[in-house]
Amino acid sequence: MPQSQARPENVIASLASVTKQFGQHTAVDELSLNLYQGEVVALLGQNGAGKTTAVRMMLGLTEPTSGEVRIFGRDPRERAARMRIGAMLQVGAVPEHLYVREHIDLFSSYYPNPLPAAEVMAIAGLTGLENRRFGKLSGGEKQRVLFGVALCGNPDLLFLDEPTVGMDIETRQALWSQIRQFAARGKTVLLTTHYLEEADALATRVVVVQKGKLIAEGTPAQIKATQGHKNIRCRTVLELAFIAALPSVITVRREGPVTHIAVSESESVARALMLHDAALSDLEINNVALETAFLALTASAGKS
């Protein structure tokens, strides 16, 4: 993280050695985390890793067993803190008989200085849906309404829980653009998602939790670099055993006509492939995907 962002005055929200227990079950275990102004943080973890509990504590919906949670330097249950927060959560029932515009007007009325309804509609991609009942919308359209509701109070901190579920690719990418613009205005976003490409595309920082503990933190590039290898994809007539014996090759597999090679050093392997296979084609060299790094990190933490 840039040093300028790490100054204490730029801390928007914090968890300080927070533990949350439900009976004998520890959902969050000594978790410390800061959110800074103007960043998009992707909070990643497998089901049951403690993500939802951490978010609920920052929203003031549940209290920590020990440790301290602060939002804008305040207890998250204080009205002054809540008025600066927006949340798009996958919980609770939304009245399906209300029109889209009624939902936006209703939630805007809860805040002293809401965004104009027309602006909310435009940002959330709801223009043209104002007079549709919520219950008649598609899954993706409902998600856009929930995103709009979260924006009504013009929040400085926005929680997004699986925001693009049910959206097609075009709508998803449009929402990504709006989230980037939101952060560019100095706002802060905490994102939870099972779409790892979404975290890779949006996040300035990725936080990975496992069994309530923080196991990795950094930019998407830094998280991917923890695996220390790259992927080569190509079409080749070379035998897998020959490729596997090349220096720097970690694993090799073939899916149909395409060969996938994980390597610790890509240039020497690529040169060897070209030298020994005159018919080599469709050669691509890529960094390890965030999903691959995430799975490796959580698998490793699970063994420790």
Side-chain angles (χ1 to χ4, degrees), residues 113-189:
N113 298 298
L115 281 176
E119 186 174 348
V120 173
M121 295 286 185
I123 293 173
L126 297 173
T127 303
L129 298 177
E130 297 92 336
N131 297 317
R132 294 273 301 278
R133 293 187 188 274
F134 185 83
K136 299 296 184 180
L137 300 177
S138 68
E141 289 169 341
K142 288 180 178 179
Q143 287 295 102
R144 283 150 58 188
V145 173
L146 296 177
F147 180 61
V149 164
L151 294 175
C152 283
N154 193 20
D156 293 311
L157 174 59
L158 183 62
F159 293 92
L160 299 177
D161 181 20
E162 303 289 346
T164 61
V165 170
M167 291 185 179
D168 58 37
I169 293 175
E170 183 178 355
T171 305
R172 179 178 298 166
Q173 291 183 343
L175 184 62
W176 290 358
S177 177
Q178 293 297 342
I179 293 171
R180 292 189 189 101
Q181 291 179 40
F182 182 83
R185 292 163 49 200
K187 310 286 190 171
T188 301
V189 179

Side-chain angles (χ1 to χ4, degrees), residues 95-111:
E96 298 207 343
H97 65 282
L98 293 181
Y99 295 100
V100 170
R101 179 56 182 265
E102 289 177 320
H103 277 291
I104 300 304
D105 288 344
L106 175 63
F107 278 87
S108 294
S109 70
Y110 299 153
Y111 298 92

